Amino acid sequence: MSGARAALELYASILPMCDPDTNPAMGGANQLAVAAIHNDVGGVLRQLLQDSEALRHYAQALSMYSRCCGQDYIEAATVHNNIGSVYLRMSWYGEAKHHYTRAMVIR
């Protein structure tokens, strides 16, 4: 897991630079890249079994994709699938089903 922790440290150093409130260059289309970073951070946190933190980053990614491209943006399907995986591990089957179904509808 040391690779996952190293990745998390790298992402933690990158994300503050990606905040459009403090770095206006990161607004607009760059938000797609920032959303992808949040999805990736969620994946690393999921590997480290930090489910609530993973869900927080996945929610951030979904919010950004929705603002930039609408709720049915194809990358949002991947995030919904990832969220479903976290909820499944947490035994929150209703939430897992909701997100897996949403991912299928988008795709």
Side-chain angles (χ1 to χ4, degrees), residues 2-71:
S2 64
R5 293 206 185 280
L8 197 56
E9 287 177 22
L10 178 62
Y11 284 129
S13 70
I14 292 171
L15 274 174
M17 294 182 281
C18 298
D19 184 351
D21 293 332
T22 57
N23 185 356
M26 292 310 297
N30 289 327
Q31 286 299 289
L32 293 176
V34 178
I37 291 170
H38 277 288
N39 185 54
D40 291 346
V41 170
V44 173
L45 290 165
R46 185 176 57 167
Q47 278 185 311
L48 295 172
L49 305 176
Q50 296 179 22
D51 293 338
S52 58
E53 279 298 301
L55 288 171
R56 187 175 69 79
H57 282 278
Y58 289 144
Q60 186 71 24
L62 273 181
S63 175
M64 290 178 160
Y65 283 138
S66 180
R67 276 195 314 266
C68 292
C69 306
Q71 293 180 350

Side-chain angles (χ1 to χ4, degrees), residues 46 49-56 58 82-96 100:
R46 185 176 57 167
L49 305 176
Q50 296 179 22
D51 293 338
S52 58
E53 279 298 301
L55 288 171
R56 187 175 69 79
Y58 289 144
N82 292 340
I83 292 170
S85 296
V86 173
Y87 281 132
L88 183 64
R89 181 171 54 216
M90 295 170 67
S91 300
W92 292 24
Y93 302 118
E95 287 294 320
Y100 284 140

